[in-house]
Amino acid sequence: MAAEQTSETRLKVYRGSCHCGAYIFDTKLPEAPSVDASECNCSICSRMGAIWKYPLRSEDIKFVKGDLATLTGYSFGNKVITFKFCPKCGISLVAFGYSQLPKEGENREPDFAVNLRAIQQGQGLDIWKMDLGFTDGASLPPAYEPPAYTGPEPKAEVEGGKLYTGSCHCGAVRVAVKTKPLDKTLTALQQGCLWIYPNKEQVEIQGEENLGTYTFGSHAWGKTFCKTCGIPVHNQIQALTDQQLGKLSEDVRNFTLGAAHLKPINIRILNGINTKELNDSRVDGYSKLSTFVEPQP
Ligand SMILES: [Zn+2]
Ligand SMILES: [Zn+2]
């Protein structure tokens, strides 16, 4: 049955890229919506918000700009899987490794996976319309020990507030957030990241020097990510000069000035939160907010 399905599945070449356009690839996948992919709740996939399509062979992913070798790689634990992300914009593109290690003397190339969130829009692959599978990676040993936050508590007083701590995957960046309980009443904006919008005084970050920052468009919102493991951490609202502000449309300028006191956090990095239990809302920022043009070589 499985073989029959495979032979009938039409393959299509999809173009994917990071956000800044330094890395662009073509990958051959079953045509959407029959591209079966899954969300995984393990310590790294849940932080990344990646949706992996696997197993692929290395020849199924062809870089047309940049290459696999110069993407930043991150692996952990028994180091059998390597996650690759763009060093400039932090977007996670590819992972490769062995679900079963080769036996001694066996020469087998690793399985590859592609992050479907990096597939460019306009090709008919819409993650929100896909029936995603679920992989319970969190239950696989060894258990992940979240790095402990050891810095000061955020100064803000929040009525009925609760202190949450979290970190990127490698622990180079750790955060504390004091906010109303993150439960069903919370509306977090879902993209690859899940955002909440606390004030600056509600958030403390340890290891901020380990963050890479990527800006685009208005350059007002710096998307930060751990330079070691690539996990998106927060939005660093940039102080724009009057000249930069003057170049923005009135809407974007007001939006930017109105956000100056915020320190938005990707709650995928907080400990003890089941993001599936949140009342998330989806914002079609791609067509509503952005003037983004998909990078081409
Ligand atoms: Zn990039
Ligand atoms: Zn890290």
Side-chain angles (χ1 to χ4, degrees):
M1 186 65 192
E4 245 174 64
Q5 277 180 346
T6 309
S7 63
E8 283 170 16
T9 304
R10 280 161 53 110
L11 297 175
K12 174 172 169 170
V13 175
Y14 289 95
R15 175 147 290 181
S17 62
C18 65
H19 195 279
C20 74
Y23 294 85
I24 302 174
F25 61 90
D26 288 335
T27 182
K28 198 187 276 182
L29 305 174
E31 189 165 13
S34 60
V35 49
D36 57 320
S38 67
E39 281 185 287
C40 172
N41 66 351
C42 82
S43 55
I44 188 150
C45 294
S46 62
R47 279 174 170 72
M48 262 178 205
I51 294 172
W52 297 111
K53 169 59 193 169
Y54 63 91
L56 301 172
R57 315 305 318 159
S58 61
E59 64 262 25
D60 295 329
I61 306 167
K62 289 203 167 62
F63 279 85
V64 294
K65 188 172 172 207
D67 58 40
L68 190 67
T70 56
L71 286 165
T72 303
Y74 174 65
S75 58
F76 61 97
N78 49 16
K79 299 198 189 297
V80 292
I81 301 177
T82 301
F83 297 85
K84 289 279 201 169
F85 60 93
C86 172
K88 192 173 158 207
C89 67
I91 300 297
S92 167
L93 299 180
V94 174
F96 57 86
Y98 296 98
S99 51
Q100 276 189 317
L101 283 173
K103 297 188 190 76
E104 216 179 297
E106 185 188 2
N107 188 7
R108 175 159 55 88
E109 80 152 8
D111 286 330
F112 278 72
V114 87
N115 182 4
L116 292 190
R117 291 204 191 270
I119 300 297
Q120 297 186 345
Q121 304 265 333
Q123 301 175 94
L125 193 153
D126 185 344
I127 287 169
W128 288 354
K129 289 186 183 144
M130 282 170 51
D131 198 9
L132 294 175
F134 171 69
T135 305
D136 185 12
S139 68
L140 299 175
Y144 174 73
E145 272 297 325
Y149 175 82
T150 55
E153 264 195 35
K155 290 180 205 70
E157 297 286 340
V158 180
E159 203 189 322
K162 190 175 162 186
L163 183 70
Y164 292 88
T165 60
S167 66
C168 67
H169 194 275
C170 74
V173 184
R174 307 176 188 206
V175 304
V177 188
K178 203 189 281 176
T179 179
K180 299 261 190 226
L182 301 177
D183 57 21
K184 277 200 166 51
T185 59
L186 169 85
T187 297
L189 295 187
Q190 176 175 354
Q191 306 158 337
C193 304
L194 276 167
W195 296 110
I196 56 169
Y197 296 85
N199 293 332
K200 283 180 179 164
E201 298 74 36
Q202 289 174 263
V203 179
E204 290 288 346
I205 297 184
Q206 276 186 303
E208 221 161 340
E209 68 279 10
N210 299 319
L211 290 170
T213 304
Y214 171 62
T215 68
F216 61 98
S218 70
H219 297 286
W221 295 65
K223 307 278 178 190
T224 70
F225 57 94
C226 172
K227 283 190 267 193
T228 302
C229 67
I231 300 299
V233 172
H234 81 307
N235 265 294
Q236 198 168 47
I237 312 291
Q238 310 287 301
L240 297 187
T241 61
D242 287 347
Q243 198 186 13
Q244 286 172 310
L245 284 168
K247 285 189 190 149
L248 303 178
S249 71
E250 197 182 331
D251 279 358
V252 175
R253 188 166 56 241
N254 290 340
F255 182 66
T256 301
L257 292 172
H261 62 292
L262 301 179
K263 202 157 186 171
I265 282 278
N266 173 21
I267 61 169
R268 286 191 188 278
I269 67 171
L270 300 182
N271 300 321
I273 292 184
N274 182 351
T275 55
K276 291 276 174 241
E277 285 175 358
L278 302 177
N279 177 24
D280 59 18
S281 77
R282 290 174 166 179
V283 171
D284 183 8
Y286 190 88
S287 49
K288 300 239 171 67
L289 298 175
S290 123
T291 51
F292 182 65
V293 178
E294 297 286 5
Q296 297 302 333

